[in-house]
Amino acid sequence: MCPPHASEPQQAPLPIIDLSDGARAAALMRDAAASHGFFYIVNHGVDSTLVQRQFEQSRAFFALPEAEKNKVEANEQARGYTSSTYQTVDPKSTVPDALEGFWAWIPEVQPGEPGSELPYKGLNIWPDADLVPGFRETLTEYMVATEKLSRRVIKLVAQALDLPEDYFEPFFRHAQNQLRTMHYLKGKSEPENGKFGAGQHTDWGFITFLVDDGTPGLQLNYTGEWEDVKPVPNSFIVNFGDMLNEWSNGKFKSTKHRVVKPEKERYSCALFVAPSPDARIECLPTCVNGGAKYEPLLASQYLESKYKQLADSKKALADGTLKPI
């Protein structure tokens, strides 16, 4: 068999971490951090039927007329619907990323409740229950389940960094966790022409938990070449974000990734996990290694700077220009 052409993406052999084997999981996570920055988790405890119900509800929502979806257009806190003209994240893009999405934060906080004064705390924007029956309830159930999973994995991250398993708990008391369910529009990506499902980027937060509908498209770049990520049934694809990269002094790297999709449409859903707004991101004691590479900063400062870039990019798109994040 002839080797693939050098420009063609290869298959990424991501590590598979079995959460039922806790003693080994932390060591495997440490290995994944040093290699890909991405891995699969299996035996994670999230019911597969819940994952499928989430996809069914997302498909129902995205099938609504554009006018109905725009009634819950995302606000300045990135809650609600975002159309296919919402973002451009890759400097090589010639058109906006070919996806629409719906954003929700967990937990929802009523005005006056403890924590309601913090950035990005408040109530989500939901479509009318008559339009998509069960949408709010299913996505909320899914967010609760995946956030519970995230707390298990954060303990493993701590162990992989040679820290006590509860080290990060104080930093996540008012965690900024955000769900984004995504619909990649029909039409083949053309990376050579600057047309992407989602252009290359890294995730902003601490760690991300992703599921997709099995349609190919996700690619990552940890060697200098783009590699396809093959879906593994009943798994989550997990990757480290920019905050953890800086916290660990580059030890747990945040890897560039993108979506280059086939002709058919594609659905995926990500939980982006980030610490409390007042969490101080500075070099961990086990990661100093001769000196810190990054300046300390608060989690709120980091997210605010990123959301400002996103808002500027959205305004530029509305003005008829492209301004990648």
Side-chain angles (χ1 to χ4, degrees):
M1 181 181 293
C2 296
H5 190 275
S7 63
E8 294 177 355
Q10 307 299 300
Q11 185 64 55
L14 297 185
I16 297 178
I17 298 178
D18 186 340
L19 292 191
S20 68
D21 186 356
R24 192 161 179 258
L28 290 174
M29 194 173 295
R30 186 184 300 114
D31 294 342
S35 57
H36 303 75
F38 272 72
F39 54 94
Y40 304 101
I41 55 172
V42 296
N43 290 321
H44 43 69
V46 178
D47 192 331
S48 61
T49 60
L50 175 58
V51 175
Q52 292 310 311
R53 284 195 288 117
Q54 174 276 130
F55 279 124
E56 290 167 6
Q57 290 292 328
S58 294
R59 289 188 184 98
F61 171 76
F62 290 121
L64 291 174
E66 200 72 17
E68 292 294 342
K69 290 182 286 190
N70 283 332
K71 289 179 181 178
V72 290
E73 182 180 7
N75 61 15
E76 67 281 358
Q77 290 189 327
R79 298 171 186 264
Y81 171 69
T82 56
S83 73
S84 57
T85 61
Y86 179 69
Q87 70 175 46
T88 306
V89 295
D90 191 329
K92 296 180 181 179
S93 294
T94 57
V95 294
D97 291 340
L99 80 156
E100 55 181 350
F102 182 87
W103 294 89
W105 294 74
I106 182 172
E108 290 189 84
V109 182
Q110 295 283 347
E113 287 185 347
S116 61
E117 74 286 355
L118 297 172
Y120 304 109
K121 297 297 182 183
L123 298 176
N124 292 321
I125 301 174
W126 299 102
D128 191 303
D130 293 336
L131 289 174
V132 196
F135 181 75
R136 176 176 184 169
E137 293 78 8
T138 300
L139 261 63
T140 299
E141 183 182 354
Y142 181 81
M143 284 192 288
V144 170
T146 49
E147 184 183 46
K148 181 179 178 181
L149 169 63
S150 77
R151 293 186 181 274
R152 288 177 63 194
V153 174
I154 289 170
K155 289 182 178 180
L156 292 172
V157 171
Q159 291 174 298
L161 287 163
D162 298 315
L163 296 164
E165 70 168 24
D166 61 352
Y167 180 87
F168 289 111
E169 284 188 12
F171 299 99
F172 283 85
R173 288 197 178 111
H174 296 287
Q176 303 174 100
N177 296 338
Q178 189 179 32
L179 184 86
R180 189 184 193 190
T181 182
M182 292 163 278
H183 172 218
Y184 293 89
L185 307 183
K186 187 175 181 180
K188 187 176 182 180
S189 297
E190 300 175 14
E192 68 280 5
N193 295 320
K195 298 179 180 179
F196 303 94
Q200 69 169 358
H201 63 284
T202 55
D203 291 348
W204 304 341
F206 186 90
I207 197 167
T208 302
F209 296 82
L210 177 74
V211 289
D212 60 41
D213 66 353
T215 303
L218 179 63
Q219 297 180 341
L220 60 87
N221 188 331
Y222 66 98
T223 62
E225 300 290 337
W226 288 104
E227 300 195 17
D228 292 315
V229 177
K230 181 181 179 181
V232 171
N234 298 318
S235 73
F236 280 85
I237 298 171
V238 182
N239 63 282
F240 306 122
D242 296 339
M243 286 188 190
L244 180 54
N245 176 70
E246 295 196 14
W247 227 333
S248 66
N249 213 22
K251 201 170 182 178
F252 276 40
K253 63 184 179 183
S254 181
T255 300
K256 287 182 179 179
H257 51 286
R258 67 184 187 181
V259 173
V260 174
K261 57 177 290 300
E263 179 68 25
K264 66 181 292 189
E265 59 189 349
R266 179 178 187 269
Y267 293 86
S268 67
C269 187
L271 182 75
F272 301 99
V273 177
S276 306
D278 59 354
R280 184 174 172 84
I281 312 300
E282 60 183 332
C283 185
L284 294 165
T286 56
C287 299
V288 176
N289 297 330
K293 300 175 184 177
Y294 305 97
E295 292 293 324
L297 78 168
L298 296 180
S300 60
Q301 295 173 317
Y302 192 88
L303 284 183
E304 284 166 10
S305 69
K306 290 295 185 179
Y307 277 113
K308 183 181 185 304
Q309 291 178 45
L310 189 59
D312 290 345
S313 176
K314 183 181 178 182
K315 183 177 184 300
L317 284 171
D319 294 340
T321 59
L322 291 174
K323 185 177 180 181
I325 294 176

